[in-house]
Amino acid sequence: MKIVIALFCGIIFGMGLALSGMTDRMKVLNFLDVLGAWDISLMFVMGSALLVTIPGFYLSRRKAAPLFSDRFSEPTGSVIDFKLVLGATCFGLGWGLYGLCPGPAISSLSYGRLDSLLFLVTMLGGMTLENLLSHRAGDNN
Amino acid sequence: MLNDYTNAIGGGLLIGLASLFLFLSIGRIAGISGILWRSLSVKSGQESERLWSIVFVVGVCFGGWFLHVIADIPVPELVTENRWQIALSGLLVGFGTRLGNGCTSGHGVCGIGRLSLRSVVATSVFMLTAVLTVILMRHFLS
């Protein structure tokens, strides 16, 4: 059941990314370019997603457990530290350089382009690098 | 032009619904960078975690293709970029999303959706940095 649900949610999520324009990296760069070609339409993507998730997550707190699993696994960390800010800064830099964030990077693979593959491979490389460094630092995340 | 807005709203609603349904049904947060990492990491004892993560990632890829098949929306035009710039961007996105524990979906859609202050901070920081990067690249370095 878990597998079927994960597949279903993944497909809907991917369709949402493609429909919204998030897989169009030039559109994303135009959205981020507030001093130039500013295309504000992408603001409505996160906006309308939050319109669903904010009340949805709020109401889900009334339930003791999810439908097909024994517990909700929510992130418990609440510390705002240097690691969080440095990570978000690196991510923002990378996002602004090419216009793809992880979700659209996966969806874009389906367009069969070498550029998307290069992006995904180097992104996985960056993830591996972070994992190696944080393990070396004795941090077992 | 109007289509851009309706598509953005429609796409955002689908993303929000998929995230909420994943949470309500199996209790998981739809953070793509984390799910992608878990789909590939080989920690023993977490095989079932790994399996649903792989299936989810495949779904995101398939869904991206499928939308263009069923809807009258063309596949985005290919605009190539310097290979080194793509590679540097990929490295930074991968490194940053792991270090900061999330990306646009995990922090932006789910984290803010859960009213997590941590996610509000992370989202503000990466949005601002991305905006500054694009301004720098387009208006000062080109």
Side-chain angles (χ1 to χ4, degrees), chain A residues 49-63 72-75, chain B residues 15-24 27-31 105-116:
Chain A
L50 288 174
L51 222 54
V52 175
T53 54
I54 292 177
F57 279 105
Y58 178 77
L59 292 174
S60 72
R61 292 187 203 289
R62 296 187 183 176
K63 285 172 54 72
F72 287 112
S73 28
E74 278 193 78
Chain B
I15 293 169
L17 285 170
S19 307
L20 183 62
F21 188 63
L22 191 74
F23 188 68
L24 285 176
R28 298 308 153 121
I29 297 291
S105 52
H107 279 312
V109 173
C110 294
I112 297 183
R114 294 167 44 243
L115 306 179
S116 150

Coordinates of all heavy atoms in Angstrom, one line a residue, chain A residues 49-63 72-75, chain B residues 15-24 27-31 105-116:
Chain A
A49 N 0.2 26.1 -3.2 CA 0.5 24.9 -2.5 C 0.3 25.1 -1.0 O -0.2 24.2 -0.3 CB 2.0 24.5 -2.8
L50 N 0.7 26.2 -0.5 CA 0.6 26.5 1.0 C -0.9 26.7 1.4 O -1.3 26.4 2.5 CB 1.4 27.8 1.3 CG 2.9 27.7 1.3 CD1 3.5 29.0 1.6 CD2 3.3 26.7 2.4
L51 N -1.7 27.1 0.4 CA -3.1 27.2 0.7 C -3.7 25.8 1.0 O -4.7 25.7 1.7 CB -3.8 27.7 -0.6 CG -4.9 28.8 -0.5 CD1 -4.4 30.0 0.3 CD2 -5.3 29.2 -1.9
V52 N -3.1 24.8 0.5 CA -3.5 23.4 0.8 C -2.8 22.9 2.1 O -3.4 22.4 3.0 CB -3.2 22.5 -0.4 CG1 -3.5 21.0 0.0 CG2 -3.9 22.9 -1.6
T53 N -1.4 23.1 2.1 CA -0.7 22.5 3.2 C -0.9 23.1 4.6 O -0.9 22.4 5.6 CB 0.8 22.4 2.9 OG1 1.3 23.7 2.6 CG2 1.1 21.4 1.7
I54 N -1.0 24.4 4.6 CA -1.2 25.1 5.9 C -2.4 24.6 6.7 O -2.3 24.0 7.8 CB -1.1 26.6 5.9 CG1 0.3 27.0 5.5 CG2 -1.5 27.3 7.2 CD1 0.5 28.5 5.3
P55 N -3.6 24.7 6.1 CA -4.8 24.2 6.8 C -4.7 22.7 6.9 O -5.2 22.1 7.9 CB -6.0 24.6 5.9 CG -5.4 25.0 4.6 CD -4.0 25.4 4.8
G56 N -4.2 22.0 5.9 CA -4.1 20.5 5.9 C -3.3 20.0 7.0 O -3.7 19.1 7.7
F57 N -2.1 20.5 7.1 CA -1.2 20.0 8.2 C -1.8 20.4 9.6 O -1.7 19.6 10.5 CB 0.2 20.6 8.1 CG 1.1 19.8 7.1 CD1 1.3 20.4 5.8 CD2 1.6 18.6 7.4 CE1 2.1 19.7 4.9 CE2 2.4 17.9 6.5 CZ 2.7 18.5 5.3
Y58 N -2.4 21.5 9.6 CA -3.0 22.0 10.9 C -4.1 21.0 11.3 O -4.2 20.5 12.5 CB -3.6 23.4 10.7 CG -4.3 23.9 12.0 CD1 -3.5 24.4 13.0 CD2 -5.7 23.9 12.1 CE1 -4.1 24.8 14.2 CE2 -6.3 24.4 13.2 CZ -5.5 24.8 14.3 OH -6.1 25.3 15.4
L59 N -5.0 20.6 10.4 CA -6.1 19.7 10.7 C -5.6 18.3 11.0 O -6.2 17.6 11.7 CB -7.1 19.7 9.6 CG -7.9 21.0 9.4 CD1 -8.8 20.9 8.2 CD2 -8.8 21.3 10.6
S60 N -4.5 18.0 10.3 CA -4.0 16.6 10.5 C -3.5 16.3 11.9 O -3.4 15.2 12.4 CB -2.8 16.3 9.5 OG -1.7 17.0 9.9
R61 N -3.2 17.4 12.7 CA -2.8 17.2 14.1 C -3.9 16.7 14.9 O -3.6 16.2 16.0 CB -2.3 18.6 14.6 CG -1.1 19.0 14.0 CD -0.5 20.3 14.7 NE 0.4 21.0 13.7 CZ 1.6 20.5 13.4 NH1 2.1 19.4 13.8 NH2 2.3 21.2 12.5
R62 N -5.1 16.7 14.4 CA -6.2 16.1 15.2 C -6.2 14.6 15.1 O -6.9 13.9 15.9 CB -7.6 16.6 14.7 CG -7.7 18.1 14.9 CD -9.1 18.5 14.5 NE -9.3 19.9 14.6 CZ -10.3 20.6 14.2 NH1 -11.4 19.9 13.8 NH2 -10.4 21.9 14.4
K63 N -5.5 14.1 14.1 CA -5.4 12.6 14.0 C -4.3 12.1 14.7 O -3.2 12.7 14.8 CB -5.3 12.3 12.5 CG -6.6 12.4 11.7 CD -6.4 12.3 10.2 CE -5.7 11.0 9.9 NZ -6.6 9.8 10.0
F72 N 3.1 9.5 12.5 CA 3.5 10.6 11.6 C 5.0 10.8 11.9 O 5.4 10.9 13.1 CB 2.8 11.9 12.0 CG 1.4 12.0 11.6 CD1 0.4 12.0 12.5 CD2 1.1 12.0 10.2 CE1 -1.0 12.0 12.1 CE2 -0.3 12.1 9.8 CZ -1.3 12.1 10.8
S73 N 5.9 10.9 10.9 CA 7.2 11.2 11.2 C 7.5 12.6 10.7 O 7.8 12.9 9.5 CB 8.3 10.2 10.6 OG 7.8 9.6 9.5
E74 N 7.4 13.6 11.6 CA 7.7 14.9 11.3 C 9.1 15.3 11.8 O 9.6 14.7 12.8 CB 6.7 15.8 12.1 CG 5.4 16.0 11.5 CD 4.6 17.1 12.2 OE1 4.9 18.3 11.8 OE2 3.7 16.9 13.0
P75 N 9.8 16.2 11.1 CA 11.1 16.6 11.5 C 10.9 17.3 12.9 O 10.0 18.0 13.1 CB 11.5 17.7 10.5 CG 10.6 17.5 9.3 CD 9.3 16.9 9.8
Chain B
I15 N 0.8 20.1 -6.2 CA 2.0 19.9 -5.4 C 1.5 19.8 -3.9 O 1.9 19.0 -3.1 CB 3.0 21.0 -5.6 CG1 3.6 20.9 -7.0 CG2 4.1 20.9 -4.5 CD1 4.5 22.1 -7.4
G16 N 0.7 20.8 -3.5 CA 0.2 20.9 -2.1 C -0.6 19.6 -1.8 O -0.4 19.0 -0.7
L17 N -1.5 19.2 -2.7 CA -2.3 18.0 -2.4 C -1.5 16.8 -2.3 O -1.7 15.9 -1.4 CB -3.4 17.9 -3.5 CG -4.6 18.9 -3.5 CD1 -5.4 18.8 -4.8 CD2 -5.4 18.6 -2.3
A18 N -0.5 16.6 -3.2 CA 0.3 15.4 -3.2 C 1.1 15.4 -1.8 O 1.2 14.3 -1.2 CB 1.3 15.4 -4.4
S19 N 1.6 16.5 -1.4 CA 2.4 16.6 -0.1 C 1.5 16.3 1.0 O 1.9 15.5 1.9 CB 2.9 18.0 0.1 OG 3.7 18.4 -1.1
L20 N 0.3 16.8 1.0 CA -0.6 16.6 2.1 C -1.1 15.1 2.2 O -1.1 14.5 3.2 CB -1.9 17.5 2.0 CG -2.9 17.4 3.1 CD1 -2.2 17.8 4.5 CD2 -4.1 18.3 2.9
F21 N -1.4 14.6 1.0 CA -1.8 13.2 0.9 C -0.7 12.2 1.4 O -1.0 11.3 2.1 CB -2.3 12.8 -0.5 CG -3.0 11.5 -0.5 CD1 -4.2 11.2 0.2 CD2 -2.4 10.5 -1.3 CE1 -4.8 10.0 0.1 CE2 -3.0 9.2 -1.3 CZ -4.2 9.0 -0.6
L22 N 0.5 12.5 1.0 CA 1.6 11.7 1.5 C 1.7 11.7 3.0 O 1.9 10.6 3.6 CB 2.9 12.2 0.9 CG 4.1 11.2 1.0 CD1 4.0 10.0 0.1 CD2 5.5 11.9 0.8
F23 N 1.5 12.8 3.6 CA 1.6 13.0 5.0 C 0.4 12.3 5.7 O 0.6 11.5 6.7 CB 1.6 14.4 5.4 CG 1.9 14.7 6.9 CD1 3.1 14.4 7.4 CD2 0.9 15.2 7.7 CE1 3.4 14.6 8.8 CE2 1.1 15.4 9.1 CZ 2.4 15.1 9.6
L24 N -0.8 12.5 5.2 CA -2.0 11.9 5.8 C -2.1 10.4 5.7 O -2.6 9.7 6.5 CB -3.3 12.5 5.2 CG -3.6 13.9 5.7 CD1 -4.9 14.4 5.0 CD2 -3.9 14.0 7.2
G27 N 2.3 9.3 6.5 CA 3.0 10.1 7.6 C 4.3 10.7 7.2 O 5.1 11.0 8.1
R28 N 4.6 10.8 5.9 CA 5.9 11.3 5.5 C 5.8 12.7 4.9 O 4.9 13.1 4.3 CB 6.5 10.4 4.5 CG 6.8 9.0 5.0 CD 7.5 9.0 6.3 NE 7.2 7.9 7.1 CZ 8.2 7.0 7.4 NH1 9.4 7.2 7.1 NH2 7.8 6.0 8.2
I29 N 6.9 13.5 5.1 CA 7.0 14.8 4.6 C 7.6 14.7 3.1 O 8.6 14.0 2.9 CB 8.0 15.6 5.4 CG1 7.5 15.8 6.9 CG2 8.3 17.0 4.8 CD1 6.3 16.7 7.0
A30 N 6.9 15.4 2.2 CA 7.3 15.3 0.8 C 8.5 16.3 0.5 O 8.3 17.3 -0.2 CB 6.1 15.6 -0.1
G31 N 9.6 16.0 1.1 CA 10.8 16.9 0.8 C 11.6 16.1 -0.2 O 12.2 15.1 0.1
S105 N 10.6 22.1 -1.7 CA 9.4 21.3 -1.2 C 9.5 21.1 0.3 O 8.5 21.4 1.0 CB 9.4 20.0 -2.0 OG 10.6 19.4 -1.9
G106 N 10.6 20.6 0.8 CA 10.6 20.2 2.2 C 10.5 21.4 3.1 O 9.8 21.4 4.1
H107 N 11.2 22.5 2.8 CA 11.1 23.7 3.6 C 10.0 24.6 3.1 O 9.2 25.1 3.9 CB 12.4 24.5 3.6 CG 13.5 24.0 4.5 ND1 13.2 23.7 5.8 CD2 14.8 23.7 4.3 CE1 14.4 23.2 6.4 NE2 15.3 23.2 5.5
G108 N 9.9 24.8 1.8 CA 9.0 25.8 1.3 C 7.6 25.4 1.4 O 6.7 26.2 1.9
V109 N 7.2 24.2 0.9 CA 5.8 23.8 0.9 C 5.4 23.1 2.1 O 4.4 23.4 2.7 CB 5.6 22.9 -0.4 CG1 4.2 22.3 -0.3 CG2 5.8 23.7 -1.7
C110 N 6.2 22.1 2.6 CA 5.8 21.3 3.8 C 6.2 22.0 5.1 O 5.4 22.1 6.0 CB 6.5 19.9 3.7 SG 5.8 18.9 2.4
G111 N 7.4 22.5 5.2 CA 7.9 23.2 6.4 C 7.1 24.4 6.8 O 6.6 24.5 7.9
I112 N 6.9 25.3 5.8 CA 6.1 26.5 6.1 C 4.7 26.0 6.3 O 3.9 26.6 7.2 CB 6.2 27.5 4.9 CG1 7.6 28.0 4.8 CG2 5.2 28.7 5.2 CD1 7.9 29.1 3.8
G113 N 4.2 25.0 5.6 CA 2.9 24.4 5.8 C 2.7 24.0 7.2 O 1.6 24.0 7.7
R114 N 3.8 23.5 7.8 CA 3.7 23.0 9.2 C 4.0 24.2 10.2 O 4.1 24.0 11.4 CB 4.7 21.9 9.5 CG 4.4 20.6 8.7 CD 5.6 19.7 8.7 NE 6.2 19.6 10.0 CZ 7.4 19.9 10.4 NH1 8.2 20.4 9.4 NH2 7.8 19.8 11.6
L115 N 4.1 25.4 9.6 CA 4.4 26.6 10.4 C 5.7 26.4 11.2 O 5.8 26.9 12.4 CB 3.3 26.9 11.3 CG 1.9 27.1 10.7 CD1 0.8 27.4 11.7 CD2 1.9 28.2 9.6
S116 N 6.7 25.8 10.6 CA 8.0 25.6 11.2 C 8.9 26.9 11.0 O 9.1 27.3 9.8 CB 8.7 24.4 10.7 OG 10.1 24.6 10.7

